[in-house]
Amino acid sequence: QAKQSCPPLAVATVAEGVAWALRAGCRAMKVCHGSSRRQLRTLCHFVKGRFGISSAPSSSGGGGAALLLLLLLPLLLCTFPRLPGDLAFAGALQPRAKQLLTTQAAIGAVDTATTVLAEVELPAALAEIEEAAARSAALRYRSVKLELPAEFATGPVSAAFIGPSEELGRRAEVAGQSPLVLLHGFDSSSLEFRRLLPELESAGVAVHLLDILGWGFGETSAVRDFSPAAKRAHLHAFWKQHLGGRPMVLGGASLGGGIAIDFAAAYPEAVERLVLIDAQAFIDGAPQLGPLGGLGIKVLSSWPLRWMANQMAYFDKERFATDDAVRIGKLHLEAKGWEEASLNYLNSGGYTLSPLVSRISAPTLLLWGEQDGILDGNEQVPRFQSELRGLVDLHWIPECGHCPHLEQPARAAELIAAFLVQDSASR
C-alpha cells in the first residue's frame, strides 16, 4: 500500500523526496495528500523550467511527480560535470580519497567534572569552503565519549558538538541559565547554525550545537543502530553525561525540531522549554530503500539534489542559495560511515512524530519563515498551536524561507534570547 504522505522536501526533505521517488515510481498513480503533493509538484515545475521540459506532471498527485523525478534522475546526475561558478571545485563529484584534516578544537566550558573533550576530525574539503562563519564554527568542534545502551553500540560513542567558550559558559552558569541545546535538520550538521551562533553569543547566550547520531562529524564505528530510538539514546546520553542531567532548553530546525519533540515526549523531566524553527512534526516516516539502498544513498549525496534543496530552502535565493552553501551542506558526507548510517536510518522507517505533539506541555518558542516553501506555515503553525499543550510563543519571520537561523539569524537569535530571559524571570 502506498503511504498517505510523502516524505518532506527540505535539505532534509528534497533528499527524502527523491529517495522516495525511487521506490514510488512504479506506483506513479497513487495519490499523495496535502502539502507534500504540492511540494513535489513545485519541485517538478522547477526541474521542468531548469531543463526546458514542456510536458506537465500528472495531475493525479505525488506519484506522477515521483515518476517525473525518476525519469529525470539520470539527466540530473550527469548535468553538472562542472559545478556552476566554481572551477576549482569541479572534481568534487568524482571519487576522491577521504582525506581527513584533524583540527584541535578550542576547549570551552566543561559542564561536568568527568567530561573529557577530544579533537574532531573534519574532512579536508573544509579548505574549499569560503564562508568565514562556517570555517570559524568548524574549528570550534570538539567531541566527548558517551556510553550508550548495548542495543545501540558496542562501545563508547563520540558525540561531536560546538559548545560555548569557557568564559561564556561560566557566565551562563553563574547567571543560572539552563543549558540550551540546538539540533540541526535531516542529514546535516551543526554548521547549519554557523550564522546563528555568533548572534546568540553576542546576546550572551551559551549554546551547545549537537550533531545528531549518524550525521555531522561524530565518530560512529561502535554504533550498530542509527534509528530514532538510537538517536534519542544518544541525545539522552549527551544530556545526562555531558550536561550533568540539568533540565535544558531544547530546540531544533526542521527535522531537528521534530527530534526535539520526540525527546521531550520521552523525557519531559529533561526539557524545560522547546525552541522549534520551521519544525517538521506532521509528516511521518522515512523511505525504506530496500534493494535500492545503494542507489538511493548515491542520489542523496549528489550535488544536483543538494543544489535543488538549497534553491527551495531560501527566500533570497540569489544571496543564500550559493554553491558554497551546498559545499557546507555536503561536508559531513565525507565523514567515515555516513553512507551506512544514513541507509540504516532510512530503513528503520524514520520518525513518527504527529502523535507526540499533543503530549508536549513545555512552553514553546515557535519561529516560522513567512515564505517557507517546504513546510507551509499556514498549514503547520495552526496545528502546533492547537496540539501543543503548553504556551506557544509564535513569531513569523518576514523575508525568510525554511531556515530562519541561516536567512535571518539576527532576528532568530533576538527571539531566542528573549525567550530565555522569560524563562529566567518566570522561575
Side-chain angles (χ1 to χ4, degrees):
Q1 295 295 320
K3 287 190 176 182
Q4 293 299 303
S5 61
C6 304
L9 295 178
V11 169
T13 54
V14 175
E16 290 193 1
V18 173
W20 177 83
L22 289 171
R23 296 189 67 240
C26 62
R27 300 172 291 188
M29 293 301 107
K30 294 293 183 182
V31 175
C32 201
H33 294 287
S35 63
S36 296
R37 181 171 63 187
R38 287 193 293 276
Q39 291 161 7
L40 279 170
R41 186 180 295 118
T42 298
L43 179 57
C44 287
H45 285 309
F46 174 81
V47 172
K48 283 165 54 189
R50 173 76 181 172
F51 296 100
I53 298 169
S54 59
S55 59
S58 167
S59 61
S60 61
L67 181 59
L68 179 59
L69 283 173
L70 182 61
L71 294 174
L72 286 172
L73 194 56
L75 180 61
L76 288 173
L77 294 179
C78 68
T79 299
F80 292 87
R82 178 162 295 187
L83 304 184
D86 188 359
L87 302 182
F89 200 63
L93 295 181
Q94 302 173 0
R96 58 179 294 174
K98 292 189 175 180
Q99 299 174 312
L100 293 175
L101 175 65
T102 302
T103 62
Q104 176 64 52
I107 300 300
V110 177
D111 297 286
T112 68
T114 58
T115 295
V116 177
L117 300 179
E119 60 188 25
V120 173
E121 292 184 329
L122 297 175
L126 174 62
E128 299 166 346
I129 288 173
E130 300 170 0
E131 185 178 343
R135 296 173 66 89
S136 175
L139 293 175
R140 290 179 57 178
Y141 258 108
R142 58 194 180 186
S143 67
V144 61
K145 291 291 186 181
L146 303 175
E147 296 289 339
L148 268 62
E151 64 188 289
F152 302 124
T154 59
V157 174
S158 167
F161 68 100
I162 300 170
S165 67
E166 184 175 3
E167 179 183 356
L168 185 57
R170 184 166 48 247
R171 290 208 313 260
E173 189 170 353
V174 170
Q177 180 188 120
S178 299
L180 170 63
V181 178
L182 295 181
L183 307 174
H184 57 78
F186 171 86
D187 193 21
S188 183
S189 76
S190 292
L191 294 181
E192 187 176 311
F193 295 109
R194 59 192 180 271
R195 297 171 194 155
L196 183 67
L197 175 61
E199 297 287 351
L200 284 173
E201 292 187 333
S202 293
V205 176
V207 60
H208 293 79
L209 309 174
L210 176 65
D211 282 357
I212 296 166
L213 180 69
W215 299 320
F217 304 102
E219 202 281 319
T220 57
S221 59
V223 181
R224 56 170 50 143
D225 184 6
F226 296 90
S227 67
K231 296 183 192 305
R232 186 186 313 120
H234 180 260
L235 176 54
H236 183 268
F238 183 81
W239 169 69
K240 195 75 172 178
Q241 298 169 33
H242 185 63
L243 299 182
R246 291 180 288 154
M248 62 180 167
V249 179
L250 181 62
S254 196
L255 182 60
I259 294 174
I261 290 170
D262 173 82
F263 186 85
Y267 301 103
E269 72 281 2
V271 181
E272 278 187 356
R273 294 195 170 201
L274 277 176
V275 176
L276 303 180
I277 305 172
D278 292 66
Q280 176 192 321
F282 300 112
I283 302 175
D284 294 326
Q288 295 174 292
L289 300 181
L292 293 173
L295 177 59
I297 292 301
K298 295 300 181 186
V299 172
L300 186 61
S301 65
S302 68
W303 178 278
L305 181 65
R306 301 274 170 162
W307 184 81
M308 286 192 297
N310 219 27
Q311 294 294 316
M312 296 184 69
Y314 294 106
F315 167 70
D316 188 344
K317 295 172 175 48
E318 183 176 355
R319 181 180 178 187
F320 294 109
T322 63
D323 291 346
D324 197 51
V326 178
R327 285 194 287 272
I328 296 167
K330 281 173 59 69
L331 186 63
H332 71 283
L333 273 58
E334 297 194 25
K336 185 178 180 181
W338 170 81
E339 291 189 4
E340 295 81 2
S342 296
L343 185 58
N344 180 287
Y345 167 73
L346 292 173
N347 283 333
S348 75
Y351 284 88
T352 299
L353 297 167
S354 55
L356 303 181
V357 178
S358 61
R359 292 169 50 184
I360 303 302
S361 57
T364 300
L365 174 64
L366 183 60
L367 307 182
W368 215 277
E370 287 186 355
Q371 288 80 28
D372 189 339
I374 291 171
L375 293 175
D376 186 351
N378 292 324
E379 296 179 0
Q380 304 291 317
V381 168
R383 290 197 64 179
F384 277 114
Q385 290 178 307
S386 65
E387 296 190 29
L388 286 169
R389 291 164 52 194
L391 294 175
V392 178
D393 186 7
L394 168 64
H395 295 270
W396 294 94
I397 311 296
E399 297 185 356
C400 186
H402 187 59
C403 306
H405 50 298
L406 283 167
E407 199 161 10
Q408 298 289 350
R411 179 58 176 157
E414 177 186 12
L415 292 168
I416 292 171
F419 184 66
L420 296 177
V421 169
Q422 293 173 10
D423 181 30
S424 300
S426 66
R427 289 181 302 181

